[in-house]
Amino acid sequence: MIVNVRRLLAMLTAFVAVTVVGMPDAVAAGPLPINDLGSGTYLGFRGGLYPDGSNAMPSAHRTIGVNRALRVRPVDTAGTPHTNGKYVLLSIGMSNTTQEFCSSEAGGQCAPYSFIGQAAADPQVNRDKLVIVDGAEGGQTAGTWDSPSDANYNRVRDTRLAPLGLTEQQVQIAWVKVANAQPSVSLPAANADAYQLVTQQGNILRALKARYPNLQQVFFSSRIYGGYASTGLNPEPYAYETGFGVKWVLQAQINQMSGGGVDPRAGNLDYNSRVAWAAWGPYLWANGLQPRSDGLTWARSDFVADGTHPSSSGRQKVGALLLRFFKTSPHTACWFTVSGTCG
């Protein structure tokens, strides 16, 4: 077998994680979180959540996002604006996504430490017109959401929306957090799993708009830390690299709408016709116990036995990040809170 030594050395230099046997937490030395990487690079790929190593979205994209936020309004089940109508924030994704968003307990109630549980207890959250619905499901990887004919969409319609008296026409915002099981090819390979995610997330954006015609905004998050993983379900460096999958699909929309043409991996992401406007939600990755610039860390206790799925403390952590994002973002505060503004 021929080994590409240069590629192997680059990968090892970019991401090294050592778990000390008998210790509860990983001792890690590796890449900076993408939001702290800035104009620095990971395997030659520039950081920053948005283009040019920046965590701030370009002004034109920001302006369109505010415009889309102001279009979120109560509608009836046929999608017609109505003072007694509702608008839905829907989650899309896998096991980690539903655990962080809801953590459904006996009786179908979301756990108080989940995002929905925390939002339900917060008096600033709009509970009059906004309905938060967990559409995510365990085992539902990116490839199970990338076509409007995927069974997941009928499941959401029939088992998550309909029991609440809601329809697909009322879904206007989505939070998407997806990944693939058992990834095997890391960056910088041309067939890396991160590149596959760009294609799948572009397809997901088109599928969402096909199923939810009144969809205005889609917010993406990538995986939490995978350095404690004891299985191949989604360990490092793949968990980290899902962040580049999100960064690149958003960059594809920004570039296309500024005249740069359709990205060959992401496909047509025209937010005036084919998809909704898309942006980052909260970025969730931090390198284990090494504090991110905002203080975020991931301890071993934030995960269950497999080191991949979040424990109650990990779910609470993501729920709090989601709640803070939706309450404070200039693209969400006007529809998420009772008195917030967008702009």
Side-chain angles (χ1 to χ4, degrees):
M1 181 175 66
I2 299 174
V3 178
N4 187 327
V5 176
R6 182 176 294 177
R7 177 177 294 172
L8 180 59
L9 288 174
M11 289 172 59
L12 290 174
T13 300
F15 202 111
V16 178
V18 180
T19 301
V20 180
V21 177
M23 296 293 287
D25 294 293
V27 179
L32 290 172
I34 294 175
N35 62 334
D36 288 347
L37 190 56
S39 59
T41 61
Y42 166 76
L43 297 176
F45 303 109
R46 182 176 288 187
L49 300 179
Y50 290 100
D52 301 321
S54 176
N55 291 328
M57 67 180 69
S59 59
H61 198 67
R62 184 185 188 280
T63 298
I64 294 295
V66 172
N67 175 269
R68 295 300 190 266
L70 297 175
R71 291 186 184 183
V72 174
R73 65 192 65 187
V75 298
D76 61 22
T77 55
T80 303
H82 197 286
T83 55
N84 293 324
K86 305 290 183 182
Y87 51 86
V88 174
L89 163 60
L90 177 70
S91 69
I92 297 293
M94 55 197 175
S95 52
N96 284 44
T97 313
T98 185
Q99 290 166 356
E100 295 154 355
F101 206 75
C102 173
S103 288
S104 182
E105 298 181 329
Q109 297 297 312
C110 295
Y113 52 75
S114 70
F115 165 65
I116 290 181
Q118 293 182 54
D122 192 319
Q124 293 182 321
V125 176
N126 186 329
R127 289 190 290 275
D128 180 26
K129 304 301 181 184
L130 168 66
V131 184
I132 307 174
V133 178
D134 180 30
E137 181 81 4
Q140 302 309 294
T141 54
T144 70
W145 296 98
D146 62 356
S147 168
S149 62
D150 285 338
N152 266 325
Y153 292 105
N154 285 350
R155 175 186 59 80
V156 170
R157 179 194 64 197
D158 299 337
T159 70
R160 303 294 175 88
L161 295 173
L164 298 175
L166 301 167
T167 67
E168 293 180 314
Q169 285 71 25
Q170 292 171 297
V171 177
Q172 298 183 50
I173 316 99
W175 178 57
V176 177
K177 181 186 174 184
V178 293
N180 287 309
Q182 307 295 327
S184 60
V185 184
S186 59
L187 293 169
N191 61 333
D193 289 86
Y195 288 133
Q196 180 187 17
L197 271 177
V198 175
T199 298
Q200 291 172 315
Q201 290 172 145
N203 288 334
I204 288 170
L205 281 168
R206 287 181 286 275
L208 289 172
K209 189 63 174 179
R211 294 298 301 232
Y212 310 121
N214 292 315
L215 189 68
Q216 301 296 334
Q217 300 176 308
V218 176
F219 296 98
F220 284 92
S221 292
S222 56
R223 288 266 289 114
I224 58 177
Y225 182 61
Y228 302 117
S230 59
T231 76
L233 182 60
N234 203 286
E236 296 298 351
Y238 306 102
Y240 175 72
E241 291 180 0
T242 62
F244 282 95
V246 171
K247 171 183 169 68
W248 291 332
V249 77
L250 298 178
Q251 185 167 303
Q253 184 177 68
I254 291 167
N255 289 346
Q256 178 181 342
M257 299 309 293
S258 62
V262 174
D263 183 86
R265 286 195 177 96
N268 190 347
L269 301 180
D270 187 337
Y271 50 58
N272 292 322
S273 60
R274 295 297 302 277
V275 301
W277 174 89
W280 274 99
Y283 174 61
L284 306 174
W285 194 91
N287 197 6
L289 291 178
Q290 294 185 11
R292 210 165 69 175
S293 59
D294 60 2
L296 179 66
T297 60
W298 287 102
R300 182 63 183 86
S301 59
D302 290 326
F303 299 82
V304 298
D306 67 3
T308 300
H309 293 92
S311 64
S312 57
S313 65
R315 300 174 194 187
Q316 189 278 333
K317 189 173 290 188
V318 174
L321 290 169
L322 278 166
L323 184 63
R324 183 174 65 188
F325 172 81
F326 285 116
K327 287 176 62 175
T328 62
S329 168
H331 297 108
T332 61
C334 55
W335 55 258
F336 188 78
T337 69
V338 293
S339 59
T341 59
C342 292

